[in-house]
Amino acid sequence: MSHRILNTSKPTLPPAPPPQLIHHPPQQPTAPKLGRRAAAVAVAIAASPALLGAVSPSARAQEAAAAASACIDELPITAKAFLDVSIGGEPAGRITVGLFGDAAPAGAARFLSLATGVGYRRKEFVKVVPGYVQHAGVVSYPVIPAVTDRLAAEMEAARARCGGGAGGTMNAAGAVSIVVRDPSLPPPKPKLVARGGRLKIEEEQVGVVPNGTEFVIATRDSPELDASALVVGRVVAGMDVVGRIAAVATVKDNTGSAYFKVAKLIGDKRAVVAERGFNRPYTKILVTNCGILEQ
């Protein structure tokens, strides 16, 4: 008789798999809810760097003009000259000019030499326009290229130093400048002439080339003068007198006329003569006396 042997041992179970670790990403802290006023403040704070960096062109131009004006104000004054002025035969007052002998040595020396003796004395202011008044200088002085070239070189150096023409101007209100160039002059015109039995072509300059004696006083910032006038000083007293000169009635400027533009384009001398009469004061404005003041 056979007996079945029963297996009474506990059944062997397969090993349990190792526990798997579940990675939970760290939870970002939730931003607290802001009210309308707090949200507006937060937006303004976040946008403030961009707003500060976005400067308008007009603001940049004002900054450049202020920098150029500050440059003129900071230039040392080495000498002072005076101009006694009369309007219509009546004394109008005295203009005192502080000269920049270190920054513009040739220009300051030129102005000083003309302010003594008979240079500017008994000579007229011949042009009054919005922005500046212009003195005729000494017409009898010849044009000396060596002198005018040196004045032009000083003008370019001053513009590079003080940033004139980059939105600012060297000819800020109160600046006194010697006229070095005349941008309104037409280019030289070729002319056929007979010399020594031969025909030659020569260039004829229509108009009068500046001789380095005319000067202007800016009544406001006048960047249009930067390419033609060398700043040699500034008015330290008597801007009220300059204001009286600027208030004198003048001949109407007719440069916008079509007839004038055509005449100027073809080099008609009559147009050049007429242009010199535009903006001329009806009343005689004269420098009755001038000289150097003791420092």
PDB file of all heavy atoms in Angstrom, residues 115-134:
ATOM      1  N   ALA A 115      39.502 146.001 -30.975  1.00  0.00           N
ATOM      2  CA  ALA A 115      38.779 146.774 -29.970  1.00  0.00           C
ATOM      3  C   ALA A 115      39.590 147.965 -29.478  1.00  0.00           C
ATOM      4  O   ALA A 115      39.066 148.794 -28.732  1.00  0.00           O
ATOM      5  CB  ALA A 115      38.417 145.880 -28.785  1.00  0.00           C
ATOM      6  N   THR A 116      40.833 148.048 -29.879  1.00  0.00           N
ATOM      7  CA  THR A 116      41.670 149.200 -29.514  1.00  0.00           C
ATOM      8  C   THR A 116      41.877 150.075 -30.756  1.00  0.00           C
ATOM      9  O   THR A 116      41.683 149.639 -31.888  1.00  0.00           O
ATOM     10  CB  THR A 116      43.032 148.721 -28.978  1.00  0.00           C
ATOM     11  OG1 THR A 116      43.676 147.906 -29.964  1.00  0.00           O
ATOM     12  CG2 THR A 116      42.845 147.903 -27.701  1.00  0.00           C
ATOM     13  N   GLY A 117      42.313 151.290 -30.541  1.00  0.00           N
ATOM     14  CA  GLY A 117      42.562 152.178 -31.680  1.00  0.00           C
ATOM     15  C   GLY A 117      41.278 152.518 -32.396  1.00  0.00           C
ATOM     16  O   GLY A 117      40.252 152.829 -31.792  1.00  0.00           O
ATOM     17  N   VAL A 118      41.312 152.432 -33.724  1.00  0.00           N
ATOM     18  CA  VAL A 118      40.151 152.810 -34.539  1.00  0.00           C
ATOM     19  C   VAL A 118      39.509 151.595 -35.204  1.00  0.00           C
ATOM     20  O   VAL A 118      38.781 151.740 -36.187  1.00  0.00           O
ATOM     21  CB  VAL A 118      40.576 153.829 -35.632  1.00  0.00           C
ATOM     22  CG1 VAL A 118      41.007 155.132 -34.995  1.00  0.00           C
ATOM     23  CG2 VAL A 118      41.688 153.260 -36.520  1.00  0.00           C
ATOM     24  N   GLY A 119      39.765 150.403 -34.680  1.00  0.00           N
ATOM     25  CA  GLY A 119      39.231 149.186 -35.299  1.00  0.00           C
ATOM     26  C   GLY A 119      37.714 149.167 -35.358  1.00  0.00           C
ATOM     27  O   GLY A 119      37.104 149.465 -36.389  1.00  0.00           O
ATOM     28  N   TYR A 120      37.066 148.815 -34.250  1.00  0.00           N
ATOM     29  CA  TYR A 120      35.608 148.736 -34.214  1.00  0.00           C
ATOM     30  C   TYR A 120      34.947 150.087 -33.928  1.00  0.00           C
ATOM     31  O   TYR A 120      33.734 150.212 -34.056  1.00  0.00           O
ATOM     32  CB  TYR A 120      35.166 147.730 -33.145  1.00  0.00           C
ATOM     33  CG  TYR A 120      35.449 146.285 -33.506  1.00  0.00           C
ATOM     34  CD1 TYR A 120      35.883 145.377 -32.540  1.00  0.00           C
ATOM     35  CD2 TYR A 120      35.273 145.831 -34.803  1.00  0.00           C
ATOM     36  CE1 TYR A 120      36.134 144.052 -32.864  1.00  0.00           C
ATOM     37  CE2 TYR A 120      35.518 144.518 -35.146  1.00  0.00           C
ATOM     38  CZ  TYR A 120      35.952 143.623 -34.167  1.00  0.00           C
ATOM     39  OH  TYR A 120      36.190 142.323 -34.496  1.00  0.00           O
ATOM     40  N   ARG A 121      35.708 151.069 -33.554  1.00  0.00           N
ATOM     41  CA  ARG A 121      35.135 152.365 -33.197  1.00  0.00           C
ATOM     42  C   ARG A 121      34.504 153.031 -34.418  1.00  0.00           C
ATOM     43  O   ARG A 121      35.071 153.022 -35.514  1.00  0.00           O
ATOM     44  CB  ARG A 121      36.218 153.260 -32.596  1.00  0.00           C
ATOM     45  CG  ARG A 121      35.694 154.556 -31.994  1.00  0.00           C
ATOM     46  CD  ARG A 121      36.816 155.300 -31.316  1.00  0.00           C
ATOM     47  NE  ARG A 121      37.422 154.508 -30.248  1.00  0.00           N
ATOM     48  CZ  ARG A 121      38.579 154.808 -29.658  1.00  0.00           C
ATOM     49  NH1 ARG A 121      39.260 155.874 -30.060  1.00  0.00           N
ATOM     50  NH2 ARG A 121      39.051 154.049 -28.697  1.00  0.00           N
ATOM     51  N   ARG A 122      33.309 153.589 -34.213  1.00  0.00           N
ATOM     52  CA  ARG A 122      32.541 154.270 -35.258  1.00  0.00           C
ATOM     53  C   ARG A 122      32.106 153.325 -36.379  1.00  0.00           C
ATOM     54  O   ARG A 122      31.798 153.756 -37.481  1.00  0.00           O
ATOM     55  CB  ARG A 122      33.320 155.450 -35.871  1.00  0.00           C
ATOM     56  CG  ARG A 122      33.899 156.416 -34.868  1.00  0.00           C
ATOM     57  CD  ARG A 122      32.846 157.057 -33.997  1.00  0.00           C
ATOM     58  NE  ARG A 122      31.835 157.776 -34.760  1.00  0.00           N
ATOM     59  CZ  ARG A 122      30.725 158.323 -34.232  1.00  0.00           C
ATOM     60  NH1 ARG A 122      30.479 158.189 -32.954  1.00  0.00           N
ATOM     61  NH2 ARG A 122      29.875 158.977 -35.000  1.00  0.00           N
ATOM     62  N   LYS A 123      32.059 152.025 -36.093  1.00  0.00           N
ATOM     63  CA  LYS A 123      31.574 151.033 -37.075  1.00  0.00           C
ATOM     64  C   LYS A 123      30.192 150.539 -36.634  1.00  0.00           C
ATOM     65  O   LYS A 123      29.842 150.584 -35.462  1.00  0.00           O
ATOM     66  CB  LYS A 123      32.545 149.852 -37.197  1.00  0.00           C
ATOM     67  CG  LYS A 123      33.988 150.245 -37.521  1.00  0.00           C
ATOM     68  CD  LYS A 123      34.108 150.939 -38.842  1.00  0.00           C
ATOM     69  CE  LYS A 123      35.575 151.121 -39.263  1.00  0.00           C
ATOM     70  NZ  LYS A 123      36.369 151.891 -38.277  1.00  0.00           N
ATOM     71  N   GLU A 124      29.412 150.030 -37.602  1.00  0.00           N
ATOM     72  CA  GLU A 124      27.992 149.736 -37.360  1.00  0.00           C
ATOM     73  C   GLU A 124      27.713 148.246 -37.179  1.00  0.00           C
ATOM     74  O   GLU A 124      28.446 147.387 -37.673  1.00  0.00           O
ATOM     75  CB  GLU A 124      27.150 150.226 -38.545  1.00  0.00           C
ATOM     76  CG  GLU A 124      27.182 151.714 -38.792  1.00  0.00           C
ATOM     77  CD  GLU A 124      26.317 152.083 -39.977  1.00  0.00           C
ATOM     78  OE1 GLU A 124      25.125 151.686 -39.996  1.00  0.00           O
ATOM     79  OE2 GLU A 124      26.810 152.747 -40.900  1.00  0.00           O
ATOM     80  N   PHE A 125      26.611 147.979 -36.503  1.00  0.00           N
ATOM     81  CA  PHE A 125      25.968 146.665 -36.549  1.00  0.00           C
ATOM     82  C   PHE A 125      25.092 146.655 -37.795  1.00  0.00           C
ATOM     83  O   PHE A 125      24.245 147.545 -37.984  1.00  0.00           O
ATOM     84  CB  PHE A 125      25.119 146.417 -35.301  1.00  0.00           C
ATOM     85  CG  PHE A 125      25.911 146.036 -34.085  1.00  0.00           C
ATOM     86  CD1 PHE A 125      26.424 147.013 -33.249  1.00  0.00           C
ATOM     87  CD2 PHE A 125      26.157 144.705 -33.789  1.00  0.00           C
ATOM     88  CE1 PHE A 125      27.153 146.673 -32.126  1.00  0.00           C
ATOM     89  CE2 PHE A 125      26.889 144.355 -32.667  1.00  0.00           C
ATOM     90  CZ  PHE A 125      27.388 145.332 -31.829  1.00  0.00           C
ATOM     91  N   VAL A 126      25.293 145.676 -38.656  1.00  0.00           N
ATOM     92  CA  VAL A 126      24.650 145.688 -39.967  1.00  0.00           C
ATOM     93  C   VAL A 126      23.624 144.577 -40.164  1.00  0.00           C
ATOM     94  O   VAL A 126      22.955 144.539 -41.200  1.00  0.00           O
ATOM     95  CB  VAL A 126      25.720 145.583 -41.088  1.00  0.00           C
ATOM     96  CG1 VAL A 126      26.617 146.797 -41.089  1.00  0.00           C
ATOM     97  CG2 VAL A 126      26.538 144.305 -40.939  1.00  0.00           C
ATOM     98  N   LYS A 127      23.467 143.696 -39.193  1.00  0.00           N
ATOM     99  CA  LYS A 127      22.543 142.577 -39.381  1.00  0.00           C
ATOM    100  C   LYS A 127      21.925 142.198 -38.042  1.00  0.00           C
ATOM    101  O   LYS A 127      22.641 142.005 -37.051  1.00  0.00           O
ATOM    102  CB  LYS A 127      23.277 141.376 -39.976  1.00  0.00           C
ATOM    103  CG  LYS A 127      22.392 140.240 -40.451  1.00  0.00           C
ATOM    104  CD  LYS A 127      23.225 139.176 -41.153  1.00  0.00           C
ATOM    105  CE  LYS A 127      22.370 138.070 -41.730  1.00  0.00           C
ATOM    106  NZ  LYS A 127      23.193 137.042 -42.415  1.00  0.00           N
ATOM    107  N   VAL A 128      20.604 142.114 -38.038  1.00  0.00           N
ATOM    108  CA  VAL A 128      19.874 141.691 -36.844  1.00  0.00           C
ATOM    109  C   VAL A 128      18.895 140.606 -37.270  1.00  0.00           C
ATOM    110  O   VAL A 128      17.958 140.870 -38.042  1.00  0.00           O
ATOM    111  CB  VAL A 128      19.116 142.867 -36.196  1.00  0.00           C
ATOM    112  CG1 VAL A 128      18.289 142.371 -35.012  1.00  0.00           C
ATOM    113  CG2 VAL A 128      20.083 143.956 -35.745  1.00  0.00           C
ATOM    114  N   VAL A 129      19.124 139.391 -36.801  1.00  0.00           N
ATOM    115  CA  VAL A 129      18.260 138.258 -37.139  1.00  0.00           C
ATOM    116  C   VAL A 129      17.879 137.538 -35.847  1.00  0.00           C
ATOM    117  O   VAL A 129      18.527 137.717 -34.815  1.00  0.00           O
ATOM    118  CB  VAL A 129      18.976 137.271 -38.097  1.00  0.00           C
ATOM    119  CG1 VAL A 129      19.314 137.936 -39.408  1.00  0.00           C
ATOM    120  CG2 VAL A 129      20.219 136.692 -37.450  1.00  0.00           C
ATOM    121  N   PRO A 130      16.816 136.743 -35.884  1.00  0.00           N
ATOM    122  CA  PRO A 130      16.481 135.954 -34.690  1.00  0.00           C
ATOM    123  C   PRO A 130      17.636 134.996 -34.357  1.00  0.00           C
ATOM    124  O   PRO A 130      17.951 134.099 -35.126  1.00  0.00           O
ATOM    125  CB  PRO A 130      15.226 135.182 -35.116  1.00  0.00           C
ATOM    126  CG  PRO A 130      14.635 135.986 -36.216  1.00  0.00           C
ATOM    127  CD  PRO A 130      15.798 136.585 -36.944  1.00  0.00           C
ATOM    128  N   GLY A 131      18.283 135.234 -33.263  1.00  0.00           N
ATOM    129  CA  GLY A 131      19.396 134.367 -32.854  1.00  0.00           C
ATOM    130  C   GLY A 131      20.694 135.106 -32.620  1.00  0.00           C
ATOM    131  O   GLY A 131      21.473 134.728 -31.753  1.00  0.00           O
ATOM    132  N   TYR A 132      20.941 136.179 -33.379  1.00  0.00           N
ATOM    133  CA  TYR A 132      22.196 136.903 -33.188  1.00  0.00           C
ATOM    134  C   TYR A 132      22.151 138.277 -33.856  1.00  0.00           C
ATOM    135  O   TYR A 132      21.291 138.548 -34.698  1.00  0.00           O
ATOM    136  CB  TYR A 132      23.387 136.101 -33.735  1.00  0.00           C
ATOM    137  CG  TYR A 132      23.367 135.844 -35.225  1.00  0.00           C
ATOM    138  CD1 TYR A 132      23.984 136.719 -36.125  1.00  0.00           C
ATOM    139  CD2 TYR A 132      22.741 134.707 -35.743  1.00  0.00           C
ATOM    140  CE1 TYR A 132      23.967 136.488 -37.489  1.00  0.00           C
ATOM    141  CE2 TYR A 132      22.720 134.473 -37.103  1.00  0.00           C
ATOM    142  CZ  TYR A 132      23.326 135.359 -37.964  1.00  0.00           C
ATOM    143  OH  TYR A 132      23.304 135.118 -39.322  1.00  0.00           O
ATOM    144  N   VAL A 133      23.093 139.128 -33.453  1.00  0.00           N
ATOM    145  CA  VAL A 133      23.305 140.433 -34.094  1.00  0.00           C
ATOM    146  C   VAL A 133      24.737 140.442 -34.629  1.00  0.00           C
ATOM    147  O   VAL A 133      25.632 139.847 -34.030  1.00  0.00           O
ATOM    148  CB  VAL A 133      23.075 141.596 -33.108  1.00  0.00           C
ATOM    149  CG1 VAL A 133      21.632 141.600 -32.630  1.00  0.00           C
ATOM    150  CG2 VAL A 133      24.025 141.516 -31.915  1.00  0.00           C
ATOM    151  N   GLN A 134      24.953 141.097 -35.772  1.00  0.00           N
ATOM    152  CA  GLN A 134      26.252 141.046 -36.447  1.00  0.00           C
ATOM    153  C   GLN A 134      26.803 142.452 -36.665  1.00  0.00           C
ATOM    154  O   GLN A 134      26.094 143.358 -37.118  1.00  0.00           O
ATOM    155  CB  GLN A 134      26.134 140.324 -37.784  1.00  0.00           C
ATOM    156  CG  GLN A 134      27.459 140.178 -38.535  1.00  0.00           C
ATOM    157  CD  GLN A 134      27.343 139.265 -39.734  1.00  0.00           C
ATOM    158  OE1 GLN A 134      26.422 138.469 -39.831  1.00  0.00           O
ATOM    159  NE2 GLN A 134      28.284 139.380 -40.648  1.00  0.00           N
TER     160      GLN A 134
END
